[in-house]
Amino acid sequence: MSIYRHIVVLAALLLFCAISVASPDAQRQAKLEHLLVQDCGACHGLHMTGGLGPELTRTALAGKSRDSLIATVTHGRPGTAMPGWAPLLGPDDIGWLVDLLLQGYPAP
Amino acid sequence: MIRSTVLAAAIGVLLSGCTQTPLRGTGDLGVVVERATGSVQIIESDTRTALSRIEGLGDLSHASVVYSRDQRYAYVFGRDGGLSKIDLLTQRIDHRVIQGGNAIGGAISQDGKLIAVSNYVPGGVKVFDARTLEQVADIPATPLADGSKRSRTVGLVDAPGQRFVFSLFDTGEIWVADFSQGNTPEITRYPGIGQQPYDALITPDGRYYMAGLFGEDGMAQLDLWHPERGVKRVLGDYGRGQEKLPVYKMPHLEGWAVADNQAFVPAVGRHQVLVMDARTWKQTAAIPVAGQPVFVTSRPDGRQLWVNFAYPDNDKVQVIDTETHQVVADLRPGPGVLHMEFTSRGDQLWLSVRDGDEVQVWDPYSLKPLSTLPATAPSGIFFSSRAQKMGY
């Protein structure tokens, strides 16, 4: 009984750690969403419909792999105006932003 | 009989009510773009107040504004291809058209009769009657090699001689569209001017058109006094250099400051304002600043420059002395300073603080804030005095 309880607590702790590593907290998410709209939006459009940078709507990103999108945001794209964001954003931030775009942003 | 007398009296009262609106000019007015809400505020610089808000202007990310020569109408260019003509006197939208799918600014012709809009989609420039916004010319850009679309156009300006000049981002060209002979323009194309021209400016005298290149160093310069000499590469040091630093916001070349025969331009990716000799177009100095500069705006008397920065330094503004090249003030107006605009004689400097949801008015001599006006995520600020300046 007590062993089970320990396992449950341990599992809960692990889950908590996994979540906190994989996903920025609510305050950080709000900052990242703001960054997406205002700063990414400067090139990609406030509604992600494109500009100097390509369109980033859910339709436009359909079929693109999460890993390649993360690599683009992290390292930029040589030969284009897309900068690498690694100096300013952590891997969790970038993963969260890419997932947000893959889900469709702005939300339909 | 009695009824018609009463009616006539009523109409008379109504009419006199209409004519009681006091007469006024528009030379002291401007607009502030509220980009997220698709609205603009009409502002008055003398009283430092907002007169009204106009809504329904679409996607105003990266919006810009030009003015009719009588300074009554503001033409607002939206990202979504919307072109809106706003009457500053009646504070209403006079005309509005969706002229393209994805647009990036526009210009008004020397005679004030034509409005040109630069489009990403469909790539090219469209030209409209300034009065009615009816299309009078379409100038599709060069198709890309794969034939899927046309080059995006950037850096559209008006030039003397009823011309528009613009650059083709994807195909590396400068085009001159001459409307002096009517609404079928004569197009002169300058190919191979360099990789990825991303913005351009025209010097205040309307002589030199200069395009900044993102894909390589230097600027492409066309001398409009001598278009037959073609496009030259100048300012060889201008650009990202050997070490390609990430650029988090493209610097703007509009409002390029020229003072005391020196030109001051935002460096690309570097924390520097570059100084050029405006006769030889060679770099003479680099001024270290607080971040990647976006706008380098000269006080109209040319003695000081105001500089704002890309994320993550966009809460700062620095003021530079053009004579000594020293930073004379480090200001912290607030989060997300996007744009700065001087009144035409330079007694006020207006700046937009996007994330603070306000517009601030500064005294550019005492370097003290004068007023604050609420605005929703404000971006560009444009005074109607732009009507009288080439390249605006």
Side-chain angles (χ1 to χ4, degrees):
Chain A
M1 183 67 188
S2 81
I3 287 173
Y4 278 121
R5 181 175 290 171
H6 282 299
I7 288 171
V8 169
V9 169
L10 192 65
L13 275 174
L14 281 173
L15 190 64
F16 178 76
C17 292
I19 287 170
S20 65
V21 166
S23 176
D25 65 22
Q27 199 184 353
R28 183 70 183 160
Q29 288 183 11
K31 281 200 165 155
L32 289 171
E33 189 175 338
H34 186 268
L35 178 96
L36 179 67
V37 172
Q38 301 295 350
D39 295 286
C40 305
C43 281
H44 296 282
L46 283 185
H47 306 290
M48 305 301 137
T49 51
L52 204 58
E55 184 178 343
L56 300 179
T57 58
R58 188 174 164 181
T59 321
L61 295 181
K64 296 224 173 4
S65 90
R66 183 175 186 266
D67 286 349
S68 78
L69 292 172
I70 286 176
T72 297
V73 179
T74 307
H75 305 295
R77 290 187 71 174
T80 76
M82 178 66 184
W85 288 83
L88 300 176
L89 299 177
D92 309 344
D93 295 337
I94 292 172
W96 186 83
L97 281 169
V98 165
D99 288 339
L100 190 64
L101 288 170
L102 285 170
Q103 287 157 26
Y105 191 89
Chain B
M1 179 66 190
I2 289 172
R3 189 189 269 176
S4 67
T5 309
V6 169
L7 193 63
I11 288 169
V13 167
L14 281 173
L15 282 177
S16 67
C18 291
T19 55
Q20 273 169 5
T21 309
L23 296 174
R24 67 156 304 150
T26 54
D28 194 30
L29 303 184
V31 304
V32 173
V33 174
E34 297 177 310
R35 68 182 200 168
T37 46
S39 52
V40 302
Q41 288 194 38
I42 298 178
I43 49 161
E44 183 181 62
S45 64
D46 182 46
T47 55
R48 307 196 296 262
T49 55
L51 302 184
S52 73
R53 174 181 275 124
I54 294 173
E55 294 174 326
L57 300 173
D59 180 350
L60 295 185
S61 50
H62 214 287
S64 61
V65 175
V66 301
Y67 285 93
S68 63
R69 58 198 275 154
D70 64 7
Q71 299 183 214
R72 175 171 176 178
Y73 298 100
Y75 298 88
V76 182
F77 306 99
R79 165 73 83 179
D80 56 3
L83 165 59
S84 311
K85 180 184 181 186
I86 292 172
D87 186 338
L88 298 181
L89 283 180
T90 62
Q91 302 172 355
R92 286 200 194 96
I93 299 174
D94 181 81
H95 278 89
R96 175 171 160 80
V97 294
I98 302 292
Q99 57 79 38
N102 197 322
I104 191 71
I108 187 162
S109 62
Q110 185 176 35
D111 69 358
K113 292 191 181 353
L114 301 174
I115 300 289
V117 191
S118 174
N119 285 315
Y120 285 161
V121 183
V125 168
K126 289 183 183 174
V127 181
F128 301 86
D129 181 308
R131 200 171 54 81
T132 62
L133 299 190
E134 279 171 34
Q135 185 172 313
V136 300
D138 184 15
I139 309 170
T142 305
L144 302 192
D146 65 2
S148 63
K149 51 190 174 185
R150 296 178 182 277
S151 174
R152 290 168 283 187
T153 54
V154 299
L156 169 67
V157 300
D158 62 290
Q162 192 70 356
R163 289 175 290 180
F164 291 113
V165 188
F166 53 95
S167 298
L168 282 65
F169 178 81
D170 299 290
T171 52
E173 300 172 68
I174 292 174
W175 286 14
V176 178
D178 183 336
F179 283 83
S180 62
Q181 304 306 310
N183 286 344
T184 307
E186 184 188 326
I187 312 278
T188 309
R189 298 171 177 83
Y190 300 89
I193 59 117
Q195 289 174 31
Q196 297 174 324
Y198 64 90
D199 195 14
L201 62 91
I202 190 162
T203 48
D205 58 2
R207 176 169 179 181
Y208 294 104
Y209 177 83
M210 320 258 300
L213 302 173
F214 192 79
E216 56 189 294
D217 286 349
M219 293 185 97
Q221 184 192 64
L222 179 63
D223 180 352
L224 293 166
W225 284 13
H226 294 287
E228 73 284 358
R229 293 179 187 166
V231 174
K232 289 181 192 159
R233 186 66 56 84
V234 296
L235 312 182
D237 296 327
Y238 184 70
R240 292 197 294 162
Q242 289 302 308
E243 189 194 347
K244 302 272 186 226
L245 296 169
V247 180
Y248 293 107
K249 183 169 170 58
M250 293 291 214
H252 276 251
L253 297 177
E254 182 227 81
W256 187 0
V258 180
D260 194 21
N261 283 316
Q262 307 170 95
F264 298 85
V265 294
V268 184
R270 290 167 199 288
H271 294 195
Q272 292 176 338
V273 169
L274 305 181
V275 189
M276 314 287 173
D277 184 311
R279 290 158 299 193
T280 63
W281 305 107
K282 297 254 189 306
Q283 184 176 329
T284 55
I287 303 169
V289 290
Q292 297 183 352
V294 177
F295 282 101
V296 175
T297 307
S298 174
R299 201 170 66 190
D301 64 13
R303 182 62 199 278
Q304 289 183 346
L305 310 170
W306 286 54
V307 184
N308 74 328
F309 303 99
Y311 180 86
D313 297 302
N314 56 4
D315 58 333
K316 300 171 188 153
V317 166
Q318 288 188 311
V319 182
I320 296 171
D321 184 310
T322 55
E323 208 170 46
T324 64
H325 297 177
Q326 297 298 307
V327 173
V328 295
D330 282 289
L331 309 176
R332 288 282 183 113
V337 176
L338 286 200
H339 193 221
M340 303 168 294
E341 174 94 336
F342 282 95
T343 49
S344 64
R345 294 192 185 214
D347 63 309
Q348 293 175 4
L349 179 282
W350 288 54
L351 58 82
S352 53
V353 186
R354 182 193 65 202
D355 301 338
D357 285 319
E358 64 185 28
V359 169
Q360 298 176 1
V361 188
W362 288 68
D363 177 338
Y365 289 86
S366 69
L367 304 179
K368 297 271 191 296
L370 297 172
S371 307
T372 296
L373 286 75
T376 308
S379 54
I381 304 171
F382 305 87
F383 284 127
S384 66
S385 52
R386 285 174 172 246
Q388 314 308 338
K389 290 202 265 186
M390 271 184 284
Y392 286 85

